[in-house]
Amino acid sequence: MPETVWKQDGRHRFRRYFIAPAVINDIVKCMEIAAFGLLADETRADPVQIVRAALITKDTFDLSSIYSQVEKLAAVPILVLLTV
């Protein structure tokens, strides 16, 4: 029987390798890599704790919608924003 990548409980055995980069990319996109390093230096927290805190904060305050609104503003020319 060929080896399967699916475990008995139906989960893909490489799922953490697929999920981790997506989570890290999302966090770096939102708070920039410099902020991640600053948090690590000032709190002495390990990267896993920082990622968990960032995900909880993002979900609690619905930061995804705020970031998308900010990105939409970036498409508007600055002169239009100054005249409003």
Side-chain angles (χ1 to χ4, degrees):
M1 179 174 207
E3 183 181 348
T4 180
V5 294
W6 297 97
K7 293 184 178 179
Q8 292 295 330
D9 61 0
R11 295 185 328 183
H12 196 282
R13 69 178 174 156
F14 297 122
R15 89 187 234 283
R16 84 169 101 167
Y17 298 108
F18 301 139
I19 294 172
V23 170
I24 296 299
N25 288 341
D26 189 41
I27 289 173
V28 169
K29 177 184 167 191
C30 293
M31 61 185 243
E32 301 295 327
I33 194 69
F36 188 86
L38 182 64
L39 282 172
D41 289 343
E42 292 199 6
T43 64
R44 305 263 189 242
D46 66 7
V48 173
Q49 291 174 318
I50 294 171
V51 168
R52 284 183 183 148
L55 289 174
I56 291 169
T57 303
K58 183 180 150 206
D59 290 343
T60 301
F61 296 106
D62 192 25
L63 295 179
S64 295
S65 67
I66 293 171
Y67 289 137
S68 67
Q69 291 174 10
V70 170
E71 286 174 353
K72 287 178 187 174
L73 282 177
V76 177
I78 191 67
L79 292 176
V80 174
L81 291 175
L82 292 175
T83 60
V84 173

